[in-house]
């Protein structure tokens, strides 16, 4: 990927951004949202980084959905309706929705716009930040052949474990080129284990399944619109309203797993195919999920947990052994696939920070994961959410 270039495909984004976008266009067409870059790893950015990122973001205005890309979505994602696909064909990134500033080694990035537009920025901006960081700090990586071999060894090890693995590594990948090599190797050597990618462009290139449902921001917005106590239940209800049983994996930790399962009643437990784990101890989570289904009279083996929190082989092996013959499982593996090529992976996120559900005032939004270190949002809003939800 040439230095300072923008992305090469409109679909070079995570699938859940498109599935959420369709739901937003249908249910919340006037809503607005703000997102901010969070530098968890306290990385120092080199001089000129903001200008390079600005150039890359500006060039994203050139991207558009091609006819072949639309056909891929039509053939593989029947729950994306023709009206939404027409909207996607007409969508163009507006770089004015993204603010970029740099003070010394500190980078500041903000996104603001109508939610149905702003929702697409997070993943590509993060991937551009990572790629430009390695370019402008003159990082060096292992060779293409070593990338292919390392990925081959990983997917073959997962296959021996007997687990299903999806690639979830767009946001913090080393580069577009490394991502393509990883996908090439997963496709070539992952028979029986590799099931798809969260990246729609990579799924299309490799003729595999695009994977994803919704993210934390879906429930964070619902808290701004309906209040913290109603966020999970109405988030699930609205998802069902749009997708009618498709895309049935629910994200469980926006306001802690305990709160989620107190609201994940028998109807939702039967209707959704399973849940996704993204924070906290995965073994404790698995036990909690299994006990929940059993309490509802539901066979846990008929349901699935998708684990997606900072996975590597050792963690996957431990989870697989713990869950064997107890509940169906699969794994979404990100950074350890797409950014294991030499330099240390970046620890960065972009999160929704405020929402304006209707015409009116901006409302702070928060995420209260099962790990306190993954809390995001305004401190006063976090305190209010914990009080409202009786979280210690």
């Amino acid at each position: 990927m040439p230095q300072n270039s923008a992305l090469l495909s409109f679909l070079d984004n995570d699938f859940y951004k498109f599935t959420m976008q369709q739901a937003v266009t249908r249910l919340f067409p006037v809503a607005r949202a703000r997102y901010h870059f969070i530098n968890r790893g306290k990385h120092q950015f080199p001089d000129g980084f903001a200008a390079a990122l600005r150039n890359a973001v500006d060039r994203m205005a050139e991207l558009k959905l091609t006819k072949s890309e639309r056909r891929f979505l039509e053939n593989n994602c029947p729950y994306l309706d023709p009206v939404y696909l027409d909207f996607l064909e007409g969508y163009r990134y507006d770089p004015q929705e993204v603010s970029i500033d740099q003070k010394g080694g500190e980078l500041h990035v903000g996104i603001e716009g109508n939610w149905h537009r702003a929702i697409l920025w997070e993943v590509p901006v993060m991937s551009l930040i990572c790629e430009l960081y390695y370019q402008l700090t003159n990082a060096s990586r292992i060779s293409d052949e070593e990338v292919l071999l390392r990925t081959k060894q990983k997917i073959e090890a997962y296959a021996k474990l007997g687990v299903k693995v999806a690639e979830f590594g767009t946001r913090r990948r080393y580069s577009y080129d490394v991502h393509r090599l990883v996908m090439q190797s997963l496709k070539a050597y992952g028979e029986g284990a590799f099931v798809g990618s969260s990246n729609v462009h990579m799924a299309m290139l490799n003729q595999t399944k695009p994977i994803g449902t919704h993210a934390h921001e879906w429930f964070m917005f619902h808290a701004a619109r309906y209040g913290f106590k109603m966020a999970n239940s109405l988030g699930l209800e609205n998802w069902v309203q749009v997708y009618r049983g498709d895309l049935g994996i629910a994200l469980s930790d926006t306001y802690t797993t305990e709160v989620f399962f107190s609201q994940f009643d028998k109807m939702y437990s039967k209707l959704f195919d399973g849940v996704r784990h993204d924070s906290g101890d995965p073994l404790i989570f698995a036990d909690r999920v299994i006990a929940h289904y059993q309490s509802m009279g539901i066979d846990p083996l008929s349901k699935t947990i998708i684990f997606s929190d900072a996975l590597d082989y050792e963690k996957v092996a431990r989870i697989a052994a713990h869950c064997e013959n107890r509940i169906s499982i699969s794994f979404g593996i990100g950074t350890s696939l797409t950014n294991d090529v030499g330099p240390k992976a970046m620890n960065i996120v972009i999160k929704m920070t405020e929402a304006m559900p209707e015409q009116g005032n901006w409302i702070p939004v928060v995420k209260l994961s099962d790990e306190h270190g993954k809390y995001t949002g305004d401190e006063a809003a976090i305190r209010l959410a914990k009080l409202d939800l009786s979280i210690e």
Side-chain angles (χ1 to χ4, degrees):
M1 188 175 184
Q3 185 164 313
N4 295 346
S5 69
L7 304 188
L8 303 180
S9 167
F10 180 79
L11 292 184
D12 189 6
N13 206 328
D14 277 344
F15 187 48
Y16 66 15
K17 285 295 181 174
F18 297 109
T19 57
M20 287 191 295
Q21 186 185 48
Q22 174 173 258
V24 172
T25 59
R26 194 176 298 181
L27 301 179
F28 306 108
V30 301
R32 294 179 63 79
R34 286 174 175 162
Y35 303 76
H36 282 92
F37 171 69
I38 303 170
N39 185 1
R40 286 178 176 166
K42 302 191 184 305
H43 308 282
Q44 291 294 296
F45 291 87
D47 290 345
F49 189 91
L53 180 61
R54 177 81 265 169
N55 179 63
V57 166
D58 287 348
R59 290 190 57 191
M60 286 181 63
E62 303 166 11
L63 295 174
K64 62 181 180 180
L65 187 74
T66 67
K67 295 298 183 183
S68 61
E69 289 172 336
R70 175 168 179 151
R71 283 194 297 272
F72 176 78
L73 295 176
E74 289 172 336
N75 293 335
N76 292 277
C77 313
Y79 35 78
L80 299 181
D81 64 46
V83 174
Y84 172 65
L85 295 179
D86 285 348
F87 165 81
L88 270 193
E89 279 194 304
Y91 180 98
R92 298 294 182 272
Y93 282 104
D94 180 0
Q96 293 186 12
E97 294 169 346
V98 182
S99 61
I100 302 169
D101 187 36
Q102 182 174 359
K103 291 181 173 60
E106 294 186 3
L107 179 69
H108 302 274
V109 179
I111 299 162
E112 179 180 331
N114 290 102
W115 191 25
H116 68 266
R117 293 190 46 80
I119 199 168
L120 290 190
W121 280 111
E122 173 195 345
V123 175
V125 169
M126 283 185 63
S127 65
L128 286 169
I129 289 172
C130 289
E131 180 152 3
L132 286 168
Y133 179 82
Y134 295 120
Q135 289 175 351
L136 296 179
T137 56
N138 298 311
S140 61
R141 65 169 175 87
I142 59 178
S143 68
D144 289 0
E145 292 73 19
E146 289 173 301
V147 174
L148 292 167
L149 176 61
R150 186 170 292 187
T151 307
K152 174 179 182 289
Q153 292 169 338
K154 288 179 181 180
I155 195 60
E156 288 178 343
Y158 289 128
K160 287 181 181 178
L161 280 180
V163 299
K164 303 296 184 185
V165 170
E167 179 276 308
F168 276 21
T170 304
R171 295 185 304 160
R172 287 181 285 266
R173 67 192 182 191
Y174 181 88
S175 69
Y176 174 87
D177 289 339
V178 165
H179 198 170
R180 284 199 65 166
L181 290 168
V182 166
M183 284 293 299
Q184 178 184 328
S185 195
L186 291 173
K187 177 71 172 179
Y189 302 108
E191 185 174 358
F194 176 57
V195 295
S197 173
S198 65
N199 185 294
V200 189
H201 171 61
M202 295 295 174
M204 178 178 169
L205 290 180
N206 293 276
Q207 289 302 294
T208 190
K209 183 180 179 180
I211 293 177
T213 55
H214 48 244
H216 295 105
E217 67 180 284
W218 180 252
F219 298 98
M220 293 162 74
F221 173 85
H222 278 75
R225 177 66 179 84
Y226 303 107
F228 292 112
K229 290 183 178 179
M230 298 301 294
N232 283 320
S233 57
L234 287 178
L236 294 172
E237 182 177 320
N238 280 331
W239 195 255
V240 171
Q241 180 181 336
V242 174
Y243 288 107
R244 314 299 297 176
D246 282 321
L247 303 177
I249 298 294
L251 182 58
S252 57
D253 72 331
T254 308
Y255 300 109
T256 75
T257 293
E258 184 175 354
V259 170
F260 176 85
F261 279 109
S262 71
Q263 301 170 343
F264 197 56
D265 64 15
K266 193 166 189 176
M267 181 185 74
Y268 293 127
S269 296
K270 285 193 167 186
L271 185 57
F272 279 81
D273 299 321
V275 294
R276 178 160 72 91
H277 170 265
D278 197 52
S279 67
D281 188 308
L283 306 190
I284 293 174
F285 179 84
D287 291 342
R288 177 74 180 82
V289 174
I290 290 166
H292 173 80
Y293 284 129
Q294 289 172 335
S295 73
M296 297 285 175
I298 299 169
D299 180 4
L301 286 169
S302 70
K303 299 296 181 178
T304 298
I305 302 175
I306 296 180
F307 294 91
S308 62
D309 180 30
L311 298 174
D312 56 22
Y313 176 83
E314 289 73 20
K315 197 170 182 180
V316 169
R318 191 166 69 251
I319 294 168
H322 187 77
C323 295
E324 187 174 9
N325 298 321
R326 300 178 68 207
I327 192 167
S328 298
I329 57 174
S330 65
F331 298 88
I333 301 180
T335 306
S336 72
L337 284 175
T338 60
N339 201 345
D340 181 24
V341 295
K344 185 177 180 180
M346 301 191 77
N347 185 3
I348 60 173
V349 294
I350 292 176
K351 290 295 182 184
M352 180 189 284
T353 54
E354 294 176 275
M356 187 187 294
E358 299 176 318
Q359 297 300 323
N361 298 321
W362 287 101
I363 300 172
V365 298
V366 302
K367 176 168 77 82
L368 307 180
S369 296
D370 291 330
E371 293 175 33
H372 288 193
K374 284 190 167 184
Y375 280 12
T376 63
D378 175 78
E379 287 296 328
I382 288 174
R383 288 195 297 271
L384 178 61
K386 291 174 71 175
L387 179 65
D388 206 23
L389 297 170
S390 300
I391 296 171
E392 295 295 328

